[in-house]
Amino acid sequence: MSRLVCSFILFACFATGLAADTSDDQPIGGFVPKRIPAYIALVLFGISAIIHWIHFFTVKPTRRFLISLPLGMTAMAIGFALRIVYTYPPFTLVRYIAWDLFILLSPCAFLAGLYMLIGRLVAIFDQEVTDRCLLIHSSRIVKFFVWSDFWTFNLQGNGGGLAASKNATLSKVGNWIALVGLIFQALSFLFFTCVLLIFGWRVRAHFPAAWRPQNPRPFKVLSRQPIDDWRILFYVMCATSVGILIRSIFRVAEFAGGATGSIATHEGYFYTFDSLPLWLAMTLYCVVWPARALNEHSGQMELQALHKVLV
């Protein structure tokens, strides 16, 4: 994921013909980012990233697909660090593109993790449950959402890089490309949220025994102990979906208003409707690491399904 981000940064610089570290007398983007909020965001995302990495390496068995969660948190922290670096001074195009794309594209890692996570979650149940409760057949669910995340990532990466160009035409085209990517991403994730909610509702309505596990062990916060009640992870995924949807809607509104619009040039909106919802949503997995609620059988099944998608 990080290699793709860097590739898009280099592509954007090449496409605009402004890869040199040149300066101007006006801040790029129309405003100078405040350092204090960026420092706070850097610390918060950094702490969450560290906890994610600890869970990833210590909770056994290791679920390799979950690496997208700590990678996303780490990329967000890097984005805010680059945002701070950009302010010394705030006139450098390459630095602007770097922090902007890291913060814009990092949530794609979160989405990729959630898209694969739902495949593993439903694999806990018998085939009859998944066939009756899923809107998409279990064999296609990961493929559909992972590929949608891949294409929206491409659109946002290329569009976001071009949008930073000092050439008005290229900037406008890039803004629209990124906007299309954000709209498709929002619609795709909205559909994912519907699939998740309807699955839970149908399991509760039609398979009450599967909905409520018998005699589960008490849930322990920040523990490596397995979670017997799958609904804990389900509820966390629902809460996460709310935060990501808020961020997705905000980003669509931001790019629809243009690079010099009121939303894009006022940081209060960005921190309230982008950074904070994302941090709250993904920090929930510091408390409920998904691997704790997935049994070995589901892990093997989903690994095979993911291999078919990528190969």
Side-chain angles (χ1 to χ4, degrees), residues 2 8 41 112 129 138 163 176 190 196 219 262 283 289 308:
S2 59
F8 284 126
V129 176
S138 57
W176 278 105
L190 178 61
L196 178 66
F219 169 69
S262 176
T283 299
W289 186 245
K308 292 179 180 179

Side-chain angles (χ1 to χ4, degrees), residues 84-254:
I84 295 168
V85 171
Y86 162 74
T87 64
Y88 295 96
F91 312 123
T92 307
L93 179 63
V94 174
R95 293 180 185 176
Y96 176 85
I97 292 175
W99 74 255
D100 186 52
L101 288 189
F102 263 96
I103 293 177
L104 176 67
L105 298 178
S106 295
C108 292
F110 301 147
L111 270 60
L114 293 176
Y115 292 155
M116 289 184 282
L117 180 56
I118 192 174
R120 293 204 175 188
L121 180 64
V122 302
I124 293 175
F125 302 94
D126 294 335
Q127 192 64 39
E128 179 186 2
V129 176
T130 57
D131 288 344
R132 289 189 60 183
C133 299
L134 274 177
L135 288 177
I136 306 177
H137 193 274
S138 57
S139 63
R140 300 189 185 98
I141 190 168
V142 175
K143 180 183 295 186
F144 176 85
F145 287 115
V146 168
W147 277 111
S148 70
D149 193 45
F150 172 78
W151 288 112
T152 57
F153 177 90
N154 273 272
L155 289 170
Q156 291 177 64
N158 287 275
L162 290 173
S165 171
K166 295 180 182 179
N167 182 295
T169 302
L170 283 178
S171 179
K172 186 175 181 179
V173 171
N175 190 80
W176 278 105
I177 292 174
L179 177 60
V180 170
L182 287 164
I183 290 174
F184 278 112
Q185 183 184 69
L187 292 175
S188 176
F189 193 77
L190 178 61
F191 181 49
F192 165 84
T193 304
C194 292
V195 170
L196 178 66
L197 293 175
I198 291 174
F199 175 78
W201 177 79
R202 287 180 175 177
V203 172
R204 181 176 182 178
H206 302 296
F207 300 94
W211 171 256
R212 187 181 298 274
Q214 298 296 319
N215 302 317
R217 282 170 288 190
F219 169 69
K220 295 182 179 180
V221 177
L222 298 176
S223 170
R224 300 177 189 176
Q225 177 181 298
I227 298 174
D228 296 330
D229 192 343
W230 69 275
R231 295 175 300 173
I232 294 175
L233 178 57
F234 171 76
Y235 290 139
V236 168
M237 291 178 67
C238 292
T240 297
S241 298
V242 174
I244 293 178
L245 283 173
I246 292 173
R247 180 263 177 189
S248 298
I249 294 171
F250 164 76
R251 281 295 188 174
V252 170
E254 178 191 28

Side-chain angles (χ1 to χ4, degrees), residues 6-74:
C6 293
S7 298
F8 284 126
I9 293 171
L10 293 175
F11 167 79
C13 294
F14 175 78
T16 57
L18 293 167
D21 198 17
T22 56
S23 298
D24 201 349
D25 58 353
Q26 294 296 325
I28 302 168
F31 71 101
V32 179
K34 295 181 175 62
R35 295 170 189 167
I36 297 300
Y39 275 117
I40 294 173
L42 169 61
V43 171
L44 292 178
F45 277 98
I47 292 174
S48 294
I50 291 172
I51 296 175
H52 277 210
W53 283 115
I54 292 173
H55 285 324
F56 178 76
F57 286 112
T58 60
V59 176
K60 302 297 180 181
T62 302
R63 306 300 187 188
R64 286 178 290 181
F65 80 97
L66 289 175
I67 196 172
S68 61
L69 302 185
L71 278 179
M73 278 293 193
T74 303

